Amino acid sequence: MTLLQTNFDPAAHPAPQIFDGVPPAGWARAAGEIAEADYVVAAPDAARGQIAEALAAIHRQGLDLDTVEQEDLRLPALGDIVPDVHARLDGGPGFALIRGLGLDALAEDDASIAAWGVANYLGKPIRQGLKADRRVFTVSDHRGAYDDPIRIGATKQLSKPHTDNGCLEPRSPDYVMLACYRQAREGGESTLISAYALHAAYAARRPGLLPLLYQPYHFLPPKLHTWPAGPATIVKPIFSVEDGVLCVHYARVMIEPGMELAGTPLSAAQTEALDLLDELLADPALVRQCRMAPGDILVNNNRSTLHGRLGYEDDPDAPRCLKRLWVWQRHRGAGVDPIALDRREFS
């Protein structure tokens, strides 16, 4: 369970056992060994018609993104590909690109609704904000509107590989889903890296530093992901082992200010450990680049992969526009069953 507290020293917390298991097939491969066929999934032709029919009914009923429910977006054709998508997300290579749903041909508001409907077939979409951006966040250049240096996704800057931390919920999203409505004129490629490959490369370089990444760190939530009554930071390790699976939580832009706020600034050893991690996250041998075309949906496993984005330049008349959703698994472990979750997280 994610720890929500601010009153202890992560450096004094004993590190758990370092992961030494066997990664799922495909996740430990170098980026250059991952072919497009390993992650691209073609959407059934019937799905586009089902999306159009559902949107027409939604319009007739006067529903919008905030009031539509899963039952209003019945897309049975997606059932034919969801097991394949889950297999790629959960067993390797850790991400999947769904192609051919035609969301880019819709009005932008309809594309957001349709993307949310697709996310319901992959798992349970979770909130991204308390008021604004609750169901869908538009990833584009917001030109400083968010006034939050942590929210790199709201700019055109390079977004270094990280995980999304979903600080409003007791645990991070299992999947991050990006639906490409418009691509940038130049740049903006997504970057993906396996936590297993990263972990192995780190252990090969500096095994003595690796235990430092298993210590808890304070993460400073973005302003719109902060509860009014606290906590001020979210505390968790960068690497952890859960049910034998290697998990990763990382965002340097959140850790440094979080540690400062908690009164436990990074030590020299911790800084050295994170500097090496950042160096490996920029290693072309470990990182897979993927340029999404309009209409593509890219989903990555947020527990066992990291994702980022290259900087980009916009067409001023048609700026880059992606729709982001956070999703919890329904099909593994406790899923979203409240009794199973209580027993897992509070026992």
Side-chain angles (χ1 to χ4, degrees), residues 67-141:
T67 56
V68 70
E69 297 295 341
Q70 176 185 347
E71 290 75 17
D72 303 315
L73 282 150
R74 306 300 294 272
L75 311 173
L78 286 182
D80 295 337
I81 65 167
V82 165
D84 186 15
V85 173
H86 280 161
R88 296 171 197 254
L89 293 173
D90 302 333
F95 58 96
L97 189 145
I98 304 171
R99 180 163 285 161
L101 285 174
L103 270 59
D104 56 312
L106 305 173
E108 185 176 340
D109 287 349
D110 284 352
S112 294
I113 293 172
W116 184 82
V118 172
N120 272 285
Y121 279 81
L122 299 177
K124 177 185 177 180
I126 64 173
R127 61 188 162 188
Q128 300 182 63
L130 290 175
K131 296 180 180 178
D133 309 322
R134 286 186 62 252
R135 288 184 161 178
V136 175
F137 174 68
T138 298
V139 181
S140 62
D141 180 15

Side-chain angles (χ1 to χ4, degrees), residues 10-281:
H13 194 88
Q17 182 180 1
I18 306 300
F19 176 80
D20 60 359
V22 178
W27 276 6
R29 289 182 296 171
E33 298 175 0
I34 301 175
E36 190 171 282
D38 293 330
Y39 62 87
V40 173
V41 178
D45 292 339
R48 292 190 294 276
Q50 291 168 1
I51 288 172
E53 292 175 5
L55 288 171
I58 287 167
H59 292 160
R60 289 196 297 271
Q61 300 299 340
L63 302 175
D64 58 22
L65 180 62
D66 289 327
T67 56
V68 70
E69 297 295 341
Q70 176 185 347
E71 290 75 17
D72 303 315
L73 282 150
R74 306 300 294 272
L75 311 173
L78 286 182
D80 295 337
I81 65 167
V82 165
D84 186 15
V85 173
H86 280 161
R88 296 171 197 254
L89 293 173
D90 302 333
F95 58 96
L97 189 145
I98 304 171
R99 180 163 285 161
L101 285 174
L103 270 59
D104 56 312
L106 305 173
E108 185 176 340
D109 287 349
D110 284 352
S112 294
I113 293 172
W116 184 82
V118 172
N120 272 285
Y121 279 81
L122 299 177
K124 177 185 177 180
I126 64 173
R127 61 188 162 188
Q128 300 182 63
L130 290 175
K131 296 180 180 178
D133 309 322
R134 286 186 62 252
R135 288 184 161 178
V136 175
F137 174 68
T138 298
V139 181
S140 62
D141 180 15
H142 291 264
R143 301 181 181 181
Y146 283 95
D147 187 29
D148 188 342
I150 292 175
R151 303 204 74 168
I152 304 299
T155 73
K156 296 190 290 186
Q157 301 174 33
L158 167 74
S159 178
K160 297 179 180 179
H162 61 280
T163 59
D164 284 4
N165 292 283
C167 299
L168 292 171
E169 304 295 355
R171 62 192 188 281
S172 302
D174 295 313
Y175 303 140
V176 175
M177 174 177 146
L178 288 172
C180 181
Y181 189 66
R182 280 191 306 269
Q183 188 51 277
R185 179 176 62 190
E186 182 178 351
E189 286 82 359
S190 294
T191 54
L192 299 129
I193 183 168
S194 160
Y196 290 97
L198 177 65
H199 191 278
Y202 202 105
R205 284 275 298 273
R206 295 291 301 276
L209 286 178
L210 192 55
L212 294 175
L213 302 184
Y214 282 80
Q215 296 176 347
Y217 288 81
H218 291 272
F219 288 64
L220 179 66
K223 294 177 182 178
L224 295 183
H225 297 170
T226 302
W227 284 103
T233 64
I234 307 300
V235 182
K236 52 191 170 185
I238 294 169
F239 283 127
S240 62
V241 180
E242 300 177 18
D243 299 326
V245 176
L246 176 67
C247 297
V248 63
H249 310 94
Y250 189 61
R252 182 78 177 261
V253 71
M254 298 170 68
I255 290 174
E256 287 185 319
M259 295 290 280
E260 292 283 349
L261 179 63
T264 57
L266 291 173
S267 67
Q270 289 172 326
T271 299
E272 183 181 8
L274 297 192
D275 286 347
L276 176 57
L277 189 64
D278 287 341
E279 179 184 337
L280 291 171
L281 286 170

Side-chain angles (χ1 to χ4, degrees), residues 303-325:
R303 290 157 52 86
S304 294
T305 66
L306 302 95
H307 66 280
R309 184 205 64 224
L310 301 185
Y312 65 89
E313 293 298 328
D314 261 334
D315 179 342
D317 297 323
R320 184 178 189 267
C321 177
L322 277 66
K323 303 296 178 178
R324 185 189 71 194
L325 296 101

